[in-house]
Amino acid sequence: MKRQPSPITHHPSTGGRLTDRLLNVRKRRALGWAALAYAGVVLAGALVGADITLRSKTRWVKGVFVPVGRRGNEVYLPAGSETLSRGPIGIVPLLPNKGHAVLGERQVVGTLVRRPVQEERGLLPNGALAWASTFVYNGTPAQLGVEFEDTAVSTPLGDMPAWHIPPSGDAPGRADAIVIVIHGHGGQRPQALRMLPALRRTGAASLFVTFRNAHGAPRSETGYLTLGDQEAEDVISALHWAQGAGYRRAVLYGFSMGGNIALSALRERHQPYPIPVTGVMLDCPALDWRATILSQGQRFGLPPFLARHVATFTQWVVTRRSGQDFDTVDQIRAAPNFNLPILMWHGTRDRTIPIAQADALAAARPDLIEYHRVEGGKHIRVWNINPKAYDAQLETFIGKVLPEVEG
């Protein structure tokens, strides 16, 4: 009699529990690794963001290097972000000589951009390698044929380099007035030279200043920017310089972070001023640094939820490193305290400082602020969209806040 094989007994519940446990372990490990990777991305983004926020500076005015093709009064350039931009651009040949030209509005010709020569100093030869930029100038006021004085503003940290452009005589009744021009975060004084002809037509003098931790300026103890807070003290020192030079009235003119510096100088602790400040001009001002840091993450393609986390942690790192109080440089929050006329421009294509900040400030103080919302304007390049309109608005505003006086 043959033995019958024993029936095989299956225990599906035991095998299922083991498989479930393995899957759960794998899921937990995967989630753990994913969380660790996410935290690493947030940490790396925050550290980079904090370093840019606190230390950014450069000695070069932004532009591109391009070969120049020239036929008569027309220049042909390769198509690119700068050469395709709306409005005038500047061009400076590197070889064989150094000149400067202002080129007019673009016209695309195949793969090239054609622009007419509007102004030229020196020579812009065919075949030259040249710097081209929407900032138009990269040197000193001498690039415009304007006489100026290299000077320095004395501060507790040391001497801040500055350019002094004396009154032009076009409006003798403003020879006692001066416009303090303040560059932005990581910026340079030449970026505002586009506006110098209009400033000179007002008859007022100009003082193009630098501030602590900017390129060429003295370093603070930490070397960190304070986003407008302590830099305002350097503007107050510039007003002391102006007083010593015989000026009796001033207007502040700030670009990007320079706008925040100008508004920070309006705080009560800085008053009374060495000389009266009668108005403020703001070009694409940084008014809310929390919103600015968040927008930078979004600008570089981070998903909204990741950008928010990186921005929050960036602010925490900045505060831990430097003691930065973001409330002190929130100018939208400070708007009820402003008591001077303000002229403000901002461009709808500004990807550095969200235009919503300017919209909010203008809505908060329509009684004080003349706001020009420039369609198509990029960051601190709204002048390029319509130079004549911008210059006219600037000159009219200065005429209001710095009326001509006898003697």
Side-chain angles (χ1 to χ4, degrees), residues 94-369:
L94 305 182
L95 295 172
N97 70 323
K98 289 190 176 182
H100 180 270
V102 178
L103 307 183
E105 191 56 74
R106 67 188 178 185
Q107 182 178 357
V108 178
V109 182
T111 60
L112 299 176
V113 178
R114 180 171 64 200
R115 290 179 178 266
V117 177
Q118 292 183 333
E119 301 174 24
E120 186 174 10
R121 292 181 180 86
L123 180 64
L124 178 61
N126 181 49
L129 178 65
W131 170 90
S133 175
T134 47
F135 288 123
V136 185
Y137 300 99
N138 66 350
T140 69
Q143 257 184 340
L144 291 84
V146 174
E147 293 185 3
F148 73 103
E149 172 194 4
D150 259 318
T151 186
V153 172
S154 178
T155 77
L157 291 180
D159 289 345
M160 305 288 172
W163 296 328
H164 172 225
I165 297 94
S168 67
D170 289 347
R174 294 194 191 99
D176 67 329
I178 190 166
V179 180
I180 309 294
V181 184
I182 314 158
H183 67 76
H185 186 278
Q188 308 87 15
R189 288 171 286 169
Q191 291 173 336
L193 287 175
R194 294 164 289 166
M195 297 77 178
L196 182 56
L199 291 172
R200 285 178 56 75
R201 285 193 296 270
T202 68
S206 302
L207 186 69
F208 286 57
V209 299
T210 51
F211 49 80
R212 61 192 65 192
N213 299 312
H215 174 71
R219 183 179 181 274
S220 65
E221 184 176 349
T222 63
Y224 294 143
L225 298 169
T226 63
L227 309 181
D229 183 17
Q230 294 175 17
E231 292 84 0
E233 297 171 10
D234 302 329
V235 171
I236 302 303
S237 295
L239 292 173
H240 279 288
W241 181 98
Q243 181 187 44
Y247 296 105
R248 294 182 291 178
R249 301 177 288 166
V251 167
L252 305 182
Y253 187 8
F255 293 76
S256 191
M257 180 178 131
N260 199 301
I261 296 171
L263 294 176
S264 293
L266 302 185
R267 290 199 297 261
E268 187 176 352
R269 69 184 176 90
H270 293 304
Q271 300 182 32
Y273 300 122
I275 59 175
V277 175
T278 62
V280 177
M281 299 189 294
L282 307 172
D283 191 311
C284 301
L287 302 170
D288 178 355
W289 282 99
R290 295 184 185 93
T292 299
I293 291 171
L294 173 60
S295 75
Q296 288 304 299
Q298 296 170 336
R299 173 185 178 183
F300 289 105
L302 296 181
F305 66 91
L306 179 56
R308 285 195 297 272
H309 290 161
V310 170
T312 299
F313 199 52
T314 297
Q315 293 164 35
W316 181 82
V317 173
V318 167
T319 300
R320 289 279 298 187
R321 281 189 186 176
S322 67
Q324 179 72 50
D325 182 350
F326 284 93
D327 286 341
T328 63
V329 287
D330 186 340
Q331 304 301 346
I332 299 171
R333 186 174 179 174
N337 300 321
F338 298 153
N339 58 5
L340 290 177
I342 296 172
L343 173 61
M344 180 168 64
W345 299 271
H346 213 115
T348 59
R349 290 187 61 198
D350 192 328
R351 298 181 62 204
T352 302
I353 307 296
I355 194 171
Q357 297 182 27
D359 293 344
L361 186 66
R365 294 306 304 269
D367 56 321
L368 286 181
I369 298 176

Side-chain angles (χ1 to χ4, degrees), residues 57-87:
K57 64 180 178 180
T58 175
R59 63 178 297 179
W60 307 111
V61 178
K62 183 180 177 181
V64 295
F65 293 101
V66 292
V68 174
R70 181 166 185 175
R71 290 182 181 176
N73 204 45
E74 291 184 330
V75 169
Y76 293 81
L77 305 169
S81 59
E82 292 291 310
T83 60
L84 283 170
S85 293
R86 291 173 58 185

